Amino acid sequence: GQCRGPLGEGRWKDTADTVIVGGGCVGVSLAYHLAKAGRKDVVLLEKTELTAGSTWHAAGLTTYYHPGINLKKVHYDSIKLYERLEAETGQAVGFHQPGSVRIASTAARVDEMRYQMTRTHWHVTPQYMIGPEKVQEIFPLINMDKVLAGLYTPGDGHIDPYSLTMALAAGARMYGAQIYNPAPVTGLEPTADGRWDVQTPHGTIRANRIVNASGFWAREVGKMVGYEHPTIPVHHQYVVTATVPEVKALKKELAVIRDLEGSYYLRQERDGLLFGPYEKMEKMVLQDSWVRDGVPPGFGKELFESDLDRIMEHVEMAMEMVPVLKKADIINIVSGPITYTPDLLPMVGPFQAVRNYWTAIGFGYGVIHAGGIGKFLSDWIMNGEPPYDLIECDPNRYGKWADVPFMCAKARESYGFNNVVGYPKEERFAGRPTVRTSGVYQLLRDRASMGFHAGWEQPHWFYKPGDDKGYEPSFRRTNWFGPVGRECQLVMERVGVIDLTPFGKFMVKGKDSHKLLDRLFANNMPKVGLTNISHMLTPNGRVYAEVTITQLAPGEFLLITGSGSELHDLRWIETEAAEGGYEVDVTNVTDDIGVLGIAGPNSRKVLQKLTDEDMSDAGFKFLHCKSIKLAGLPVRAIRISYTGELGWELYMDQKNMAAVYQAMMEAGKDEGIDNFGTYAMSSLRLEKGFRGWGAEPADFIGKAALQEIKAKGLKRKLSYLSLDTDDIDPEGNETIWHNGKVVGNTTSGAYSYSSQQSLAFAYLPMELCSVGQKVEVELLGRKYPAMVIQEPLVLTEPTRTRLQKKEKSKA
């Protein structure tokens, strides 16, 4: 019936297409975008009033800048929306765009800015590296003593979060969305057909999908569906001053500055200044009692006690950089809760293992992300696939291993590290190791530099006596460069062993297993005892995942995917299985199975010493799989190696892993066996030109779209480049220049030790793809000569063997 009083939105709906839980800027933006895209029956439920939580007290900063390639798009979409929102809705949003400057006051910062510039030239975002004089012109009140350079983004600034949310709400209503408040959600019950009953004091709504956009209540809402989301509120403070005469006298608004060494942002607020620091790990405050006991029931538009002492060293640094602050009167210190995830990136998208439950939570920077994420999620809901890759924000990147101690340690680190230099191949060590350690971790932990992959510890490279040990990040070649070359040589000339346990591993079996996988993958399924590499495509023909598939027994398949996409890929498979009504059993066996890779010309000899199975080329062919006994222990061996050399992947019970490893190391002494890590594997992969496409017989998802793309022709093509560099190598996402114009970007890169040159894959326009074409790749502000070459540079072992056989038969 008619809903009187507080809901104020006309009739209560009993059914909805999408129910959004939470009326902060993110939830309201999603309601706006879905309604505007024409989605009917969009309902937003807010428990008290719009903006309660973290939105209303936010400092409202907006910037085009983000170090991540994909998040630049989110920031760009937000700013473009905020620029036109007032005209569209008639609601003022208080958007100021004086630009912003990130200040470099150390040599490493200058390098970081150069590193970021080559990642931006091929984006639509305007971004410039500027000298000290230009910094002073944009921000005349700065003390120039420490300024070496600046990263300037025109169009940056700040917006009033309350007005922004109200304008988005007005727009959402204008396009037909319903916003109910106060309407707290008291329960979420899944229905048998994959929908949800959303319970509120006003009645129950039956929804096709629900989106948790509840900010620091995310854990409470998550618990209603059986999830413990790894989100935690942190205390963030900012300081507002009274009028500062020097600010008042300015002709135009000051740019926002970010003093990276001082770890604070500072902007003009009316005729005064506002600045917000990020204090160090040991000083920052987590609201961990809310994780233990839940958010206090009445908390909505409250703040925490402010604590100036905690941020005093940053206040002093700000006074040094902007001397007028010394005389300014503080009129307000705002200390409020902001939600953090362990890695400071939000959790955006549909969840694995519960159908039609989506999240838009964990926003440390909700104001700049709201517009772009609302659009991203709306596009995904409308089209059945994400509009672009944003896997770093996938909500399924955290499994059960991301427990409360890990989350607290990481949130502390992420807050304290807010403005640290962002190096390539960055590692952060808080909260490690998690419960995810492989069966050989204890044996290898002190002998290698470890990397963190989906909760696992995995060796990047190994130490030898005389090496410069430990983690030494750099924008140039660093302490691992020599050792990784040694490991590449080991695999090319002798035999190496690598821990590959972090792979995501799924078992798919049951009556319809073959049918389901045919539907999901752009490849024929391998016969029993065989393996292939297949791609899952989206309906529009984009690659969603690359997966290695082995048919172990009739109708029983082992699927292997990269560590970073374990639950991302599992969700896609489970959703198709549920919605298509397939009779299958899909099990995640990632934690149970350990994986060792053995590779190199001597790998066959080593394994043959430990097994009765015929390991010869004829007896155990490439891409075949067998269950064997290795040193008396049961192992599934697949003849495949991502190094492109002769090799096997060995799958075994975690508890047998150390024994198998030690047996191989003992057996391989005469063959020169040793360890190698993932850095060497990446280099070996790239020089073999590794990537793959399958043929497409069955009508898999995306087939029609793929045929259409082929018919229209591609505008750009993936090319293989060699570079002429000095002490620096490409790694992907760098700008490519030709005749003074930006023409493309690298997608991956590494140094090839066997050919002693840098290599990269790159997208180039069709007219610049022919072998011998010269271009330039920008690395740290310099343009290095590069050339399109014939790929691959080094043939894979199966190809070399095949060619040798051909030569012999000719002879």
Side-chain angles (χ1 to χ4, degrees):
Q2 190 71 20
C3 200
R4 288 191 187 81
L7 293 176
E9 281 276 338
R11 303 184 76 77
W12 175 258
K13 291 175 108 85
D14 294 324
T15 58
D17 173 71
T18 302
V19 167
I20 299 159
V21 183
C25 56
V26 174
V28 177
S29 171
L30 176 56
Y32 161 87
H33 281 96
L34 276 173
K36 190 175 179 180
R39 189 51 64 115
K40 300 278 178 274
D41 299 327
V42 174
V43 173
L44 184 144
L45 302 174
E46 162 51 49
K47 81 187 194 71
T48 55
E49 55 182 304
L50 297 182
T51 77
S54 293
T55 301
W56 72 276
H57 63 74
L61 294 173
T62 53
T63 176
Y64 281 114
Y65 177 85
H66 193 281
I69 295 303
N70 301 321
L71 278 141
K72 289 188 204 305
K73 297 191 185 83
V74 173
H75 288 221
Y76 182 84
D77 287 346
S78 289
I79 289 174
K80 290 301 162 208
L81 168 68
Y82 302 167
E83 285 174 347
R84 60 165 203 267
L85 199 56
E86 193 165 322
E88 186 184 324
T89 63
Q91 297 259 343
V93 293
F95 195 17
H96 295 245
Q97 294 182 278
S100 82
V101 187
R102 301 172 73 81
I103 306 287
S105 43
T106 66
R109 286 288 176 197
V110 176
D111 272 352
E112 180 184 29
M113 288 180 180
R114 291 184 179 133
Y115 177 79
Q116 282 304 331
M117 283 308 298
T118 188
R119 285 165 166 63
T120 309
H121 291 307
W122 55 281
H123 266 265
V124 285
T125 304
Q127 183 174 296
Y128 306 93
M129 195 157 166
I130 58 175
E133 306 70 35
K134 181 77 179 160
V135 173
Q136 191 166 26
E137 187 188 312
I138 294 169
F139 197 97
L141 304 181
I142 201 160
N143 169 4
M144 296 299 291
D145 291 352
K146 290 186 174 166
V147 177
L148 296 177
L151 201 66
Y152 172 49
T153 18
D156 281 11
H158 55 96
I159 195 164
D160 174 41
Y162 181 83
S163 304
L164 167 66
T165 308
M166 290 312 173
L168 287 167
R173 293 184 183 108
M174 186 166 92
Y175 296 119
Q178 306 277 330
I179 297 176
Y180 296 138
N181 69 297
V185 171
T186 53
L188 295 167
E189 293 294 329
T191 64
D193 61 356
R195 293 190 293 172
W196 289 91
D197 280 339
V198 183
Q199 296 158 357
T200 80
H202 309 281
T204 296
I205 306 176
R206 171 74 52 98
N208 293 341
R209 80 182 55 73
I210 50 177
V211 184
N212 178 354
S214 59
F216 55 70
W217 288 277
R219 284 177 71 86
E220 268 84 336
V221 175
K223 280 177 181 160
M224 294 180 192
V225 302
Y227 267 96
E228 294 253 339
H229 294 316
T231 58
I232 184 166
V234 300
H235 289 224
H236 178 61
Q237 303 191 88
Y238 62 84
V239 176
V240 185
T241 76
T243 295
V244 175
E246 293 87 341
V247 174
K248 194 178 174 127
L250 292 167
K251 297 278 179 287
K252 63 176 205 270
E253 184 177 353
L254 284 166
V256 179
I257 59 168
R258 289 176 176 81
D259 174 4
L260 303 170
E261 299 316 305
S263 194
Y264 61 84
Y265 54 82
L266 182 143
R267 69 170 177 81
Q268 188 171 333
E269 171 73 7
R270 299 197 172 89
D271 290 328
L273 295 167
L274 176 156
F275 71 103
Y278 292 95
E279 55 270 39
K280 294 194 178 72
M281 256 159 67
E282 56 280 6
K283 285 203 169 165
M284 64 84 66
V285 177
L286 290 175
Q287 194 59 34
D288 42 9
S289 67
W290 290 9
V291 173
R292 271 196 320 275
D293 316 324
V295 183
F299 202 98
K301 282 200 164 178
E302 281 68 33
L303 291 167
F304 299 130
E305 285 274 315
S306 62
D307 177 1
L308 197 56
D309 288 346
R310 200 168 76 230
I311 56 174
M312 209 55 216
E313 68 177 299
H314 303 276
V315 174
E316 282 160 9
M317 286 162 109
M319 286 174 173
E320 194 182 340
M321 188 64 86
V322 185
V324 296
L325 266 176
K326 289 180 185 155
K327 305 193 295 280
D329 292 326
I330 292 175
I331 51 172
N332 198 5
I333 303 175
V334 176
S335 176
I338 292 182
T339 315
Y340 266 46
T341 59
D343 62 8
L344 227 186
L345 291 172
M347 299 171 64
V348 178
F351 236 80
Q352 184 264 329
V354 262
R355 283 170 74 190
N356 299 314
Y357 170 66
W358 296 56
T359 60
I361 56 176
F363 289 88
Y365 305 103
V367 173
I368 185 55
H369 287 156
I373 290 293
K375 183 178 190 306
F376 176 83
L377 276 178
S378 166
D379 287 354
W380 193 345
I381 289 168
M382 297 298 288
N383 304 324
E385 65 179 273
Y388 51 87
D389 178 30
L390 199 56
I391 195 165
E392 61 269 52
C393 296
D394 188 85
N396 306 299
R397 67 186 183 275
Y398 296 113
K400 295 196 168 51
W401 52 268
D403 56 16
V404 171
F406 171 80
M407 170 178 80
C408 291
K410 277 288 179 220
R412 260 188 194 290
E413 176 184 59
S414 290
Y415 190 87
F417 281 23
N418 238 302
N419 288 309
V420 295
V421 176
Y423 287 104
K425 297 184 166 51
E426 187 185 42
E427 286 295 323
R428 293 186 175 182
F429 297 96
R432 293 170 49 181
T434 70
V435 293
R436 278 193 147 174
T437 51
S438 80
V440 292
Y441 171 70
Q442 293 303 337
L443 294 173
L444 303 181
R445 56 184 287 190
D446 298 326
R447 298 162 62 188
S449 181
M450 289 285 179
F452 187 71
H453 299 272
W456 298 97
E457 299 290 325
Q458 185 175 30
H460 278 164
W461 60 280
F462 284 84
Y463 310 138
K464 289 271 177 246
D467 284 348
D468 183 2
K469 288 184 181 181
Y471 170 65
E472 291 179 13
S474 172
F475 293 103
R476 294 174 173 79
R477 291 175 187 163
T478 176
N479 61 336
W480 52 261
F481 185 77
V484 170
R486 187 173 64 210
E487 291 172 20
C488 288
Q489 193 179 356
L490 166 80
V491 173
M492 296 286 283
E493 296 174 6
R494 299 191 302 281
V495 55
V497 175
I498 183 170
D499 181 4
L500 297 172
T501 302
F503 283 153
K505 320 169 198 83
F506 319 129
M507 287 291 193
V508 180
K509 52 187 183 192
K511 182 162 86 63
D512 295 336
S513 59
H514 207 297
K515 211 162 88 185
L516 170 68
L517 296 178
D518 265 340
R519 168 85 182 133
L520 281 167
F521 288 94
N523 205 345
N524 285 329
M525 284 304 108
K527 296 186 170 69
V528 174
L530 294 182
T531 296
N532 71 22
I533 293 171
S534 297
H535 294 87
M536 284 197 279
L537 300 189
T538 67
N540 288 335
R542 294 213 329 275
V543 174
Y544 188 79
E546 181 178 283
V547 180
T548 305
I549 302 179
T550 306
Q551 190 165 192
L552 303 172
E556 187 177 328
F557 296 87
L558 172 65
L559 275 56
I560 305 297
T561 186
S563 60
S565 47
E566 174 195 344
L567 300 177
H568 167 270
D569 296 359
L570 184 60
R571 184 199 69 79
W572 190 262
I573 295 165
E574 287 174 345
T575 302
E576 185 60 31
E579 289 176 2
Y582 294 88
E583 265 186 61
V584 285
D585 181 29
V586 182
T587 323
N588 186 357
V589 292
T590 301
D591 288 347
D592 312 325
I593 296 180
V595 189
L596 290 169
I598 182 170
N602 296 345
S603 55
R604 179 180 281 129
K605 275 192 216 151
V606 174
L607 292 179
Q608 194 62 78
K609 292 182 187 181
L610 297 170
T611 184
D612 299 335
E613 190 70 43
D614 177 7
M615 302 302 285
S616 71
D617 196 43
F620 203 139
K621 293 191 176 74
F622 182 54
L623 293 180
H624 281 232
C625 169
K626 296 186 181 186
S627 284
I628 64 172
K629 280 270 188 345
L630 210 58
L633 294 164
V635 168
R636 267 207 180 96
I638 301 176
R639 189 173 152 201
I640 188 173
S641 174
Y642 286 108
T643 63
E645 293 304 306
L646 173 67
W648 280 262
E649 281 177 8
L650 308 169
Y651 291 79
M652 65 207 80
D653 201 311
Q654 285 275 19
K655 66 175 187 301
N656 294 334
M657 207 174 159
V660 170
Y661 170 83
Q662 281 165 319
M664 287 199 298
M665 286 317 214
E666 193 55 42
K669 273 185 180 156
D670 295 345
E671 283 71 28
I673 200 164
D674 211 337
N675 297 293
F676 72 105
T678 56
Y679 286 0
M681 187 163 80
S682 298
S683 170
L684 292 163
R685 270 189 82 132
L686 196 73
E687 59 188 26
K688 307 290 192 311
F690 265 14
R691 63 184 192 293
W693 272 100
E696 352 70 326
D699 189 18
F700 54 82
I701 297 173
K703 184 174 184 182
L706 204 63
Q707 283 159 344
E708 198 180 316
I709 292 168
K710 280 185 176 168
K712 284 184 183 161
L714 293 163
K715 291 189 187 63
R716 48 185 211 150
K717 186 172 152 218
L718 199 58
S719 307
Y720 200 48
L721 298 179
S722 80
L723 283 78
D724 195 357
T725 62
D726 38 36
D727 65 339
I728 183 170
D729 300 297
E731 55 170 58
N733 297 320
E734 292 103 356
T735 296
I736 299 173
W737 297 82
H738 182 250
N739 289 343
K741 284 200 175 70
V742 173
V743 291
N745 63 280
T746 58
T747 56
S748 60
Y751 183 75
S752 159
Y753 293 87
S754 56
S755 69
Q756 304 212 333
Q757 59 187 330
S758 281
L759 299 176
F761 272 121
Y763 275 116
L764 287 172
M766 295 308 272
E767 64 273 15
L768 295 178
C769 285
S770 44
V771 169
Q773 173 70 53
K774 292 190 161 54
V775 291
E776 294 175 303
V777 178
E778 182 182 328
L779 303 171
L780 287 194
R782 266 187 66 188
K783 292 175 186 163
Y784 290 89
M787 186 167 79
V788 177
I789 57 171
Q790 187 64 50
E791 60 172 290
L793 205 59
V794 181
L795 295 174
T796 64
E797 178 272 334
T799 311
R800 297 197 297 259
T801 307
R802 201 167 59 239
L803 291 174
Q804 279 161 0
K805 281 182 184 163
K806 255 192 191 156
E807 289 301 312
K808 272 187 192 150
S809 65
K810 275 184 196 160

